[in-house]
Amino acid sequence: MAISYYLWLPMFRVIWLFNWLVIGVLWIWAVLWTFTAVISYLSLKLHGRAWCTLVAAVVIGATVWTTDWETVYIDSQISWHRDELAALVAAHKRGETLTAPWWMDYLSIDGEIRRQGAILYLPVYEDWRAEIGLGIAHLPMRPNSKTTVQTASGDLGQPVRHIGDGWWWVE
């Protein structure tokens, strides 16, 4: 189940209509298997195992439910691909054609890198009417309250969280 939450952004683009259905089915599956395990242990009079199973399931479920998976996904992608992102920034500064690496299809909605002057922008999410967008931007200098990035054709976003090496989460 944690994997489905972690892969929420790329999965959402592929099966957006059924995404909540997939998550719901996984929660039901987890609850039913936990219930089955606890009842099985109780029927065998293994109360300690039943209690441990129930506590472990509740702790794991609460952790999965309360984790900010979007942040975990974005931060891990930036961390794993730091060198490739630095190469993109260097190519942008030299004015070269930017070629998106294969893994960017799982981060950017269209696998494209958008130039906005000195800013590089990777669109991570846009609603179906392109009125709201979220993404990752590389800013040449520290942003201020007036720094804006076009996140969708009908939306301007502001950097809200520094990810590292000049990359910012833009909402």
Side-chain angles (χ1 to χ4, degrees):
M1 183 174 332
I3 292 171
S4 64
Y5 275 102
Y6 177 77
L7 296 173
W8 174 263
L9 287 170
M11 190 171 70
F12 185 79
R13 287 191 294 274
V14 176
I15 56 172
W16 67 272
L17 187 59
F18 300 108
N19 214 16
W20 283 108
L21 181 62
V22 169
I23 298 291
V25 166
L26 289 172
W27 274 108
I28 291 169
W29 179 82
V31 168
L32 288 176
W33 274 102
T34 301
F35 177 77
T36 302
V38 169
I39 294 301
S40 296
Y41 284 138
L42 289 175
S43 69
L44 297 171
K45 303 210 185 302
L46 298 171
H47 301 290
R49 287 187 183 181
W51 178 250
C52 289
T53 301
L54 185 60
V55 169
V58 169
V59 168
I60 291 169
T63 301
V64 168
W65 185 262
T66 59
T67 299
D68 182 3
W69 290 104
E70 181 178 276
T71 300
V72 171
Y73 179 75
I74 297 298
D75 289 356
S76 66
Q77 291 297 311
I78 296 294
S79 175
W80 292 337
H81 302 293
R82 194 166 301 284
D83 294 337
E84 293 164 307
L85 290 167
L88 285 174
V89 172
H92 176 66
K93 287 180 180 176
R94 290 189 304 266
E96 297 174 2
T97 301
L98 301 178
T99 306
W102 66 270
W103 58 267
M104 202 165 284
D105 287 342
Y106 301 103
L107 185 62
S108 173
I109 56 174
D110 52 9
E112 297 294 320
I113 305 153
R114 299 182 184 164
R115 293 181 191 217
Q116 298 178 18
I119 297 172
L120 285 180
Y121 178 67
L122 307 172
V124 174
Y125 170 79
E126 280 185 17
D127 70 343
W128 65 281
R129 295 182 293 190
E131 292 178 335
I132 298 172
L134 305 170
I136 301 167
H138 183 271
L139 306 174
M141 60 186 65
R142 189 153 183 86
N144 58 35
S145 62
K146 295 181 182 180
T147 303
T148 58
V149 177
Q150 186 166 3
T151 57
S153 59
D155 188 30
L156 292 176
Q158 292 187 314
V160 294
R161 187 172 62 83
H162 186 251
I163 302 171
D165 298 335
W167 291 94
W168 289 79
W169 179 249
V170 180
E171 293 182 356

